[in-house]
Amino acid sequence: MQNPLDFTGKVVLVTGGGKGAGKGITERFLEQGANVVICGRNEPEDMPEHDGKKAVFFSCDVRDIEQAKQLVDATVERFGRLDILVNNAGGAPNADAATVSPRFSESILRLNLIAPLNLCQIANAVMQKQEEGGAIINICSVSAKRPSPGTAAYGAAKAGLLNLTTSLAVEWAPKVRVNAVIAGMILTEQSHMHYGDDAGIASVAKTVPLQRLATPSDIGDTCLYLASSLSSYVSGADVTVHGGGERPAFLDASNAEG
């Protein structure tokens, strides 16, 4: 029986695939034999690799539509096809919604919603022509489904990306499956910026039912599933990877027993 998680010969494009959750996604696909293309504005010093096989890096600002087109064209020129797109690049610094500039908000929406939409469209044009079609995975955030104070525009963009996922899954079926990963808190090289020192990270982890933050590989494993034949009837779905979520605040605020 063929291993459904064997991606030998498959071509995967992971935006922002050189660091954080993106690096975990890249490494998991490399471990399963895929040819992986990553992109970013700067080439990572520690290029993801497995058993001597490295990811291929192309410089690209995904917010620029012409650069996005060139990225997909370069991938197809290099490997002859594109089987899986993982829209991972994104993020936002903390900002006060009451005083932030409209230009800043627009830039956050462009990075976290418009750029993935454009890349989905460009990749779909390639995948529709392939006999086996393809799979698109949009990396979203729990901020899409709960209040996101300090990153309001980011939360709104990720909510839009979730809805976009469901719409594209309908429009582009049956050749291309489109799904989303709703990621919770992830332990990355930038965790200290969000949660403080090691003690702060440990305290935050205790608020998660599974008592830890996600690792980049946790997100990568979910992407493997959504890109594989194991999920051949899964499209327009979102898979939440957040360790059980957040303990309701009223439980700690209440004096009730039990």
Side-chain angles (χ1 to χ4, degrees), residues 149-226:
T151 53
Y154 172 80
K158 290 299 188 180
L161 189 56
L162 275 182
N163 185 272
L164 176 69
T165 296
T166 62
S167 297
L168 299 185
V170 173
E171 288 197 32
W172 296 346
K175 270 297 188 71
V176 176
R177 295 186 299 109
V178 188
N179 291 292
V181 176
I182 300 179
M185 296 180 288
I186 308 170
L187 185 62
T188 71
E189 60 269 24
Q190 294 185 327
S191 292
H192 293 289
M193 295 173 56
H194 301 287
Y195 313 125
D197 58 14
D198 289 346
I201 292 174
S203 295
V204 170
K206 290 179 180 178
T207 70
V208 179
L210 290 188
Q211 298 290 288
R212 67 176 179 87
L213 304 186
T215 66
S217 291
D218 289 323
I219 309 303
D221 287 338
T222 307
C223 290
L224 287 180
Y225 163 70
L226 290 174

Side-chain angles (χ1 to χ4, degrees), residues 5 7 12 14 20-32 84 86 88 137 139 181 183 186 214-228 241:
L5 294 178
F7 285 87
V12 185
V14 183
K23 186 176 182 180
I25 296 168
T26 298
E27 290 174 340
R28 295 301 283 131
F29 276 109
L30 285 172
E31 289 166 7
Q32 301 304 317
I84 299 142
V86 182
N88 167 77
I137 303 167
I139 304 300
V181 176
I186 308 170
T215 66
S217 291
D218 289 323
I219 309 303
D221 287 338
T222 307
C223 290
L224 287 180
Y225 163 70
L226 290 174
S228 76
V241 186

